[in-house]
């Protein structure tokens, strides 16, 4: 199976090339040329398998240049229990009430759903390099506002033929996030703070990527720069697995009959996670509606309701920071698919977005989007209220991002009367966002730093996940910082 660019489908690549390269040269995203389908009986068969086996089968459909043995070995490493994931099901499905289930995607080493993909991507990349006969080492550069950096560090830690260097804004991440990165283990990792905000760190990294002299110097030393951000197909693919896996678990629990449609509700930022659910549907998973949940940065809610994407609006900092995004990059893949794989039209929408911050899709695309998706947003007050209500009424402690999804599902059901069994994607452990969760539970006298973990555990009666609870005993390895003008020096020192 080949991969093509959303902006020029004449360019064809193998899976290994698409994963190693990340982004197509003209700026398009790689998509599989055809979408494999799941025979209905296959779901019954997958039902009897564990998560790792389901991942090998589903990812194998898209990675035909990779052998079954290769994928089995990598899935065993990426989703090892208990070394990497603290739950035997890896991505367990929890029943919330008669027609609502919660897919917990945060049982991995950094307690956020990014682990589901970032535990797998480094292995895909390292295999891809071998297949491409690439002998240089990939140096992954990441600018992070918090969650992605730590998940990428854990994923790439000690993976063959890779090194990873993460930059974070010095005063732009929480104490716990900073400590998570500063105590990172592994022989191929580096972390540096940047004086400035997230945009400074991100702009600095982009400048490094476009620096030809630096590329040549690194190549002489046996390195090339690569990226782990969410537009890499290697990150979308492992996310398709857990939606199909959740359906199998519903079958296993006797909640649905095979072939019965379900709804899926996803707290959305860059549109990667919900796009993976759409791919699962296109593969034949019986899904009725995909409900796209946003916070106050509701550019996607407006887009799905009107067909107009307009990023010219105020940016809000919310209690669900991983969804504070105005440009949802992965939407490009959806537009390509819904336009009948019209690469010229997709390129035109993206050009308008970059020139004016706005585009309007054709009536035909809008109609399909409205048929496929429900959409809504949760205000800060609604998010807080939902955390409180879930704890009181269902004895279930959820994080701020997950609360956005539960609130939007509530609105969707009230507006449409559609009470189909729904799976809500839960994207982070509540202990990653102790501060806001304690607020929502009505706690006014809050501790600080890692003491917040103990406080939330005490108030909620739920134990903090081990990777966070043990942070305070870990040794700080990285306490360096740099001015943004000197980031290149940090890279060349790191790759010495
Ligand atoms: C990244 C992230 C999201 C948003 O996912 P997208 O794939 O960008 O839509 C939601 N919740 C959490 C906790 C995240 O880390």
């Amino acid at each position: 199976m080949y991969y093509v660019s959303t902006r020029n489908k004449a360019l064809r690549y193998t899976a290994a090339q698409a994963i190693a390269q990340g982004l197509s040269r003209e700026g398009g995203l790689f998509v599989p040329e055809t979408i494999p389908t799941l025979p209905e009986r296959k779901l019954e068969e997958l039902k009897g398998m564990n998560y790792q086996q389901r991942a090998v089968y589903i990812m194998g459909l898209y990675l035909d240049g990779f052998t079954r043995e290769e994928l089995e070995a990598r899935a065993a490493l990426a989703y090892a229990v208990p070394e990497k994931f603290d739950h035997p099901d890896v991505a367990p499905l929890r029943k919330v009430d008669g027609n609502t289930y919660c897919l917990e995607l945060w049982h991995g080493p950094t307690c956020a759903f990014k682990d589901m993909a970032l535990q797998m991507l480094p292995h895909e990349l390292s295999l891809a390099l071998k297949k491409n006969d690439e002998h240089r080492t990939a140096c992954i550069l990441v600018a992070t506002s918090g969650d992605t950096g730590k998940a990428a560090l854990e994923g790439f830690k000690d993976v063959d033929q890779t090194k990873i260097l993460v930059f974070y804004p010095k005063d732009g991440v929480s104490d716990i996030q900073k400590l998570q990165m500063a105590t990172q283990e592994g022989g191929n990792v580096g972390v540096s703070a940047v004086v400035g905000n997230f945009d400074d760190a991100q702009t600095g990294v982009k400048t490094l990527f476009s620096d030809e002299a630096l590329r040549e110097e690194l190549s002489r030393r046996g390195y090339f720069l690569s990226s782990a951000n969410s537009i890499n197909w290697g990150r979308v693919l492992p996310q398709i697995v857990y939606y199909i896996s959740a359906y199998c678990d519903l079958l296993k629990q006797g909640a649905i009959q095979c072939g019965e449609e379900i709804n899926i509700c996803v707290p959305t930022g860059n549109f990667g996670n919900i796009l993976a659910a759409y791919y699962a549907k296109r593969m034949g998973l019986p899904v009725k509606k995909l409900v796209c949940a946003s916070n106050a940065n509701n550019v996607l809610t407006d887009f799905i309701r009107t067909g107009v994407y307009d990023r010219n609006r105020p940016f809000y900092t919310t209690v669900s920071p991983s969804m504070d995004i105005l440009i949802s990059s992965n939407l490009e893949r959806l537009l390509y698919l819904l336009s009948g794989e019209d690469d010229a039209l997709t390129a035109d929408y993206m050009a308008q977005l970059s020139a004016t911050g706005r585009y309007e899709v054709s009536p035909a695309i809008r109609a399909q989007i409205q048929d496929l998706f429900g959409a809504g947003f949760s205000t800060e007050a609604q998010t807080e209220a939902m955390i409180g209500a879930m704890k009181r009424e269902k004895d279930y402690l959820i994080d701020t991002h997950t609360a956005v999804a539960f609130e939007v599902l509530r609105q969707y059901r009230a507006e449409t009367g559609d009470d189909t069994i729904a799976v809500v994607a839960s994207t982070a452990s509540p202990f990653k966002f102790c501060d806001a969760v304690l607020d929502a539970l009505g706690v006014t006298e809050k501790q600080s730093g890692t003491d917040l973990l103990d406080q939330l555990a005490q108030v909620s009666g739920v134990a903090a996940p081990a990777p966070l609870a043990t942070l305070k005993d870990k040794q700080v390895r990285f306490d360096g910082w740099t001015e943004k003008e000197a980031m290149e020096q940090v890279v060349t020192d790191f790759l010495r």
Side-chain angles (χ1 to χ4, degrees):
M1 176 196 296
Y2 284 93
Y3 285 75
V4 295
S5 162
T6 49
R7 298 188 198 176
N8 182 356
K9 62 183 175 187
L11 303 174
R12 295 167 93 222
Y13 299 86
T14 63
Q17 286 169 329
I19 289 166
Q21 201 174 312
L23 189 68
S24 185
R25 279 183 227 297
E26 80 303 342
L29 309 188
F30 293 121
V31 285
E33 205 171 28
T34 53
I35 300 176
T37 52
L38 277 175
E40 212 175 273
R41 254 177 314 132
K42 197 72 202 182
L43 289 169
E44 285 288 353
E45 205 178 304
L46 289 169
K47 186 178 88 174
M49 298 183 184
N50 65 22
Y51 191 85
Q52 293 83 348
Q53 292 166 324
R54 291 170 183 172
V56 168
Y57 173 75
I58 295 158
M59 292 183 57
L61 296 174
Y62 288 90
L63 299 174
D64 54 7
F66 295 57
T67 68
R68 191 187 172 83
E69 291 68 35
E70 286 172 337
L71 290 176
E72 276 172 356
R74 285 359 186 251
L77 288 170
Y79 301 120
V81 177
E83 293 82 357
K84 302 284 190 179
F85 284 76
D86 71 4
H87 194 289
D89 293 345
V90 180
L93 190 66
R94 175 179 166 134
K95 182 170 185 172
V96 178
D97 60 36
N99 60 352
T100 315
Y101 289 76
C102 192
L103 176 60
E104 295 182 349
L105 300 172
W106 41 261
H107 287 275
T110 77
C111 309
F113 98 99
K114 304 277 190 302
D115 288 332
M116 301 301 302
L118 279 166
Q119 281 298 311
M120 197 65 204
L121 173 71
H123 297 295
E124 294 171 70
L125 178 65
S126 143
L127 263 179
L129 296 181
K130 292 195 173 61
K131 291 183 191 297
N132 296 344
D133 217 12
E134 171 63 74
H135 297 290
R136 294 174 300 170
T137 294
C139 176
I140 314 295
L141 291 186
V142 181
T144 184
S145 54
D147 285 347
T148 304
K150 177 62 184 179
L153 284 162
E154 272 300 320
F156 279 94
K157 170 177 85 180
D158 296 329
V159 170
D160 249 16
Q161 222 184 330
T162 70
K163 291 192 94 171
I164 176 164
L165 180 58
V166 170
F167 292 100
Y168 69 86
K170 195 159 183 282
D171 299 311
V173 301
S174 75
D175 291 351
I176 290 178
Q177 286 175 319
K178 189 178 290 189
L179 199 56
Q180 274 188 300
M181 291 188 275
T183 56
Q184 178 64 43
E185 293 161 359
N188 63 340
V189 303
V191 176
S192 172
V194 177
V195 179
N197 58 26
F198 173 63
D199 279 334
D200 294 318
Q202 168 136 292
T203 308
V205 165
K206 281 189 179 157
T207 309
L208 294 172
F209 271 108
S210 56
D211 184 338
E212 282 302 326
L214 177 67
R215 273 177 190 269
E216 279 172 30
E217 168 59 23
L218 294 184
S219 189
R220 261 196 303 279
R221 297 195 202 171
Y223 294 103
F224 71 99
L225 297 179
S226 184
S227 125
N229 67 25
S230 77
I231 53 183
N232 192 315
W233 175 256
R235 268 188 69 174
V236 177
L237 177 53
Q239 300 182 348
I240 300 173
V241 175
Y242 50 70
Y243 290 111
I244 297 172
S245 177
Y247 191 92
C248 295
D249 287 341
L250 284 172
L251 286 175
K252 209 164 152 177
Q253 294 179 21
I256 54 170
Q257 303 290 320
C258 200
E260 190 176 335
E261 287 189 319
I262 61 167
N263 289 338
I264 295 175
C265 181
V266 185
T268 298
N270 214 10
F271 210 76
N273 202 1
I274 197 167
L275 179 84
Y278 175 67
Y279 268 95
K281 177 176 166 69
R282 286 284 298 259
M283 291 174 73
L285 193 73
V287 177
K288 187 163 153 200
K289 283 276 182 185
L290 299 164
V291 181
C292 177
S294 300
N295 62 24
N297 296 296
N298 56 2
V299 60
L300 284 167
T301 313
D302 290 346
F303 172 65
I304 290 168
R305 291 185 178 167
T306 66
V308 176
Y309 195 97
D310 192 351
R311 65 153 302 188
N312 303 301
R313 58 178 69 214
F315 174 84
Y316 299 105
T317 302
T318 73
V319 290
S320 45
S322 302
M323 298 158 67
D324 291 345
I325 279 180
L326 290 180
I327 296 192
S328 299
S329 313
N330 268 301
L331 193 57
E332 179 169 347
R333 289 189 165 107
L334 182 77
L335 296 176
Y336 176 79
L337 292 170
L338 297 186
S339 65
E341 303 177 4
D342 187 335
D343 50 357
L345 185 62
T346 308
D348 181 47
Y349 290 151
M350 292 303 114
Q352 289 181 46
L353 179 65
S354 113
T356 68
R358 181 185 187 279
Y359 60 87
E360 177 166 8
V361 294
S362 68
I365 296 180
R366 188 183 61 216
Q368 289 180 75
I369 286 176
Q370 290 173 346
D371 186 43
L372 286 164
F373 293 89
F377 69 96
S378 175
T379 64
E380 295 291 271
Q382 287 173 321
T383 303
E384 235 184 55
M386 181 52 80
I387 293 172
M390 285 294 272
K391 183 69 182 110
R392 267 193 324 274
E393 292 161 21
K394 316 278 187 199
D395 194 25
Y396 191 22
L397 187 68
I398 56 172
D399 97 292
T400 47
H401 304 76
T402 308
V404 166
F406 273 107
E407 167 59 21
V408 171
L409 178 64
R410 185 195 66 74
Q411 295 171 12
Y412 169 80
R413 284 174 166 168
E415 279 164 26
T416 61
D418 175 4
D419 273 335
T420 305
I421 286 196
V423 169
V424 172
S426 175
T427 50
S429 157
F431 287 89
K432 271 210 112 157
F433 300 95
C434 290
D435 223 322
V437 172
L438 282 165
D439 281 340
L441 297 179
V443 176
T444 48
E445 302 269 304
K446 284 180 297 180
Q447 310 281 326
S448 65
T450 50
D451 290 343
L452 281 168
L453 296 164
D454 296 330
Q455 190 178 19
L456 181 55
Q458 204 149 40
V459 169
S460 66
V462 178
L468 297 178
T470 55
L471 264 182
K472 55 177 181 288
D473 311 319
K474 292 232 158 110
Q475 192 150 7
V476 170
R477 296 181 65 205
F478 303 102
D479 55 5
W481 56 272
T482 176
E483 297 290 345
K484 60 179 189 273
E485 294 77 15
M487 286 166 67
E488 181 172 341
Q489 191 60 46
V490 178
V491 176
T492 48
D493 288 349
F494 177 63
L495 298 179
R496 212 164 273 296

